[in-house]
Amino acid sequence: MAEHWKRKLDRLHADLVRRDDPAEWVTEADAVDASSRYPHLALRGPVFGLAIQEPGAGAPWRLAKPVTSGTPQEARDDLNSLLWFKARDDTDDAPTRRELLAAVAQLEKKPLNEMTVLGVRYRVVRGDEFARTGEHNLEPPRPTDPEPSLISWDGRHEARSPDTGFVLDPEQDEAGLMAGAMKLALSTFAYSGPRFPTVVRKHSEQAVTTHPDIVLLPVGFGVAERAGQRWSPQGALMPTPHDARRLLYQGMAEMWPLLYEYDDHKRAVYARAAEEFRRARRADEARVEGRLFRICRIERMVRSGPDGPEPPRPSDLDNYGPMKMHPTMDEHGTILDNG
């Protein structure tokens, strides 16, 4: 395996030299600098998403839903909804709708991690989320991380996940030598230490053998709050640094005062902090009432084996089980009830 990875890294280096692209060299230098300033990895834990494989020999697995859910059942619920809306909106053929609804009925009763419907394979996939850390801080966005072309702070904004449609191909060369080195380093990664139960460590070690290849997912950005010596995530994973900054700004200015029922004084304090953060435009930290928030860079990986991406492990826990999520529909598309 070491020789295999050496060949991959050599190929990545040769390709980088051949392209002689100044922008790529700057990005690579940025990655090297980050690995020096933030040399450690802080594991947040598993995340789950939904992948599909279309019919056809050699068809790749690709993501249908982002790998951001905290439990496998959340991803199963995404599959349930995906198939139900396909039945309602994407076909007028009764047999097709009947097969889609039969799959929905199974998902309402059983915690299924894989199924084939109309020739398409669907799989709940498991990833791990982590951030780079230095002596005291999480890694912030890098200067070369892309920002949206239009910087907006107000109004509704749907940040589209770069996961959607992403191909889970472990043989696809990464966009840089440091990314290839990261895949090499992660190839033998397994949970260790007493914070993880024995069965969790066992399944993690087994995955190194059963799913030895690594796919790095698109980088994301989030808001974290310092709590003692630890950082805790606040809110969803966002596709760009500005989307994460906007999330923090709107949290301080609008959402948190409403959600936590701040009094007028506290509401004004958070509003001033929000506007100060906004005026700084590309700030990566905000302080308010003794609280410290940081915009951080989040990375994720998915393991892959001979049959594709890794599904949930037996030791991955759910907070709830399968349930009926949508009204009953007949094969003609008629909604029969609201239960």
Side-chain angles (χ1 to χ4, degrees), residues 7-302:
R7 287 197 301 270
K8 293 193 70 167
L9 291 176
D10 287 344
R11 186 169 68 248
L12 284 167
H13 181 264
D15 191 47
L16 192 62
V17 172
R18 177 184 58 78
R19 289 199 298 268
D20 193 25
D21 186 328
E24 291 189 28
W25 281 107
V26 171
T27 300
E28 195 69 16
D30 211 9
V32 171
D33 178 63
S35 69
S36 175
R37 297 174 62 192
Y38 302 94
H40 308 298
L41 298 182
L43 177 69
R44 180 181 176 187
V47 283
F48 304 88
L50 180 65
I52 65 174
Q53 185 183 44
E54 303 284 356
W61 286 92
R62 59 182 176 84
L63 292 178
K65 295 291 182 179
V67 185
T68 55
S69 296
T71 67
Q73 187 58 47
E74 291 176 50
R76 296 183 199 113
D77 291 347
D78 283 339
L79 176 56
N80 183 321
S81 292
L82 177 69
L83 297 176
W84 190 89
F85 282 106
K86 276 183 175 290
R88 190 190 72 173
D89 301 330
D90 293 354
T91 183
D92 290 323
D93 180 65
T96 297
R97 184 177 285 116
R98 191 160 53 240
E99 184 170 343
L100 289 165
L101 293 174
V104 169
Q106 291 186 64
L107 289 164
E108 292 174 346
K109 298 178 179 65
K110 301 177 183 178
L112 301 175
N113 292 324
E114 181 166 342
M115 59 189 345
T116 299
V117 185
L118 298 171
V120 178
R121 293 177 73 185
Y122 296 87
R123 178 180 296 177
V124 174
V125 296
R126 183 193 194 280
D128 274 301
E129 183 176 286
F130 55 92
R132 295 176 184 268
T133 67
E135 187 174 354
H136 300 294
N137 284 326
L138 299 173
E139 182 187 8
R142 299 174 186 172
T144 48
D145 285 326
E147 296 277 14
S149 56
L150 178 63
I151 300 297
S152 171
W153 295 88
D154 301 310
R156 289 185 57 82
H157 172 65
E158 297 294 335
R160 185 180 186 277
S161 172
D163 283 12
T164 307
F166 185 81
V167 176
L168 298 172
D169 180 7
E171 292 303 315
Q172 180 174 304
D173 287 340
E174 302 303 320
L177 189 61
M178 291 302 293
M182 172 63 86
K183 289 175 66 172
L184 172 58
L186 291 171
S187 63
T188 56
F189 165 77
Y191 293 176
S192 62
R195 63 175 281 208
F196 299 106
T198 301
V199 66
V200 171
R201 297 199 301 269
K202 175 186 175 183
H203 292 154
S204 181
E205 291 163 1
Q206 290 173 343
V208 173
T209 301
T210 59
H211 295 82
D213 296 315
I214 302 295
V215 178
L216 295 179
L217 300 184
V219 172
F221 303 87
V223 178
E225 180 180 4
R226 187 70 178 261
Q229 297 301 310
R230 304 185 66 180
W231 292 90
S232 60
Q234 298 287 335
L237 188 69
M238 308 305 286
T240 71
H242 178 71
D243 287 312
R245 295 185 188 108
R246 179 184 167 118
L247 184 70
L248 176 55
Y249 166 75
Q250 293 186 331
M252 291 190 292
E254 301 173 13
M255 296 302 298
W256 300 345
L258 183 65
L259 182 63
Y260 301 114
E261 299 181 341
Y262 292 171
D263 61 27
D264 290 343
H265 172 73
K266 190 167 185 174
R267 187 184 297 268
V269 169
Y270 275 75
R272 285 195 298 270
E275 293 308 316
E276 181 180 345
F277 179 71
R278 174 172 172 165
R279 284 195 298 271
R281 294 185 58 81
R282 295 187 64 151
D284 291 324
E285 285 190 353
R287 296 177 184 269
V288 57
E289 287 200 323
R291 303 172 72 182
L292 172 62
F293 298 94
R294 187 175 180 87
I295 306 300
C296 55
R297 196 175 195 271
I298 304 297
E299 301 184 58
R300 293 164 299 153
M301 59 170 269
V302 169

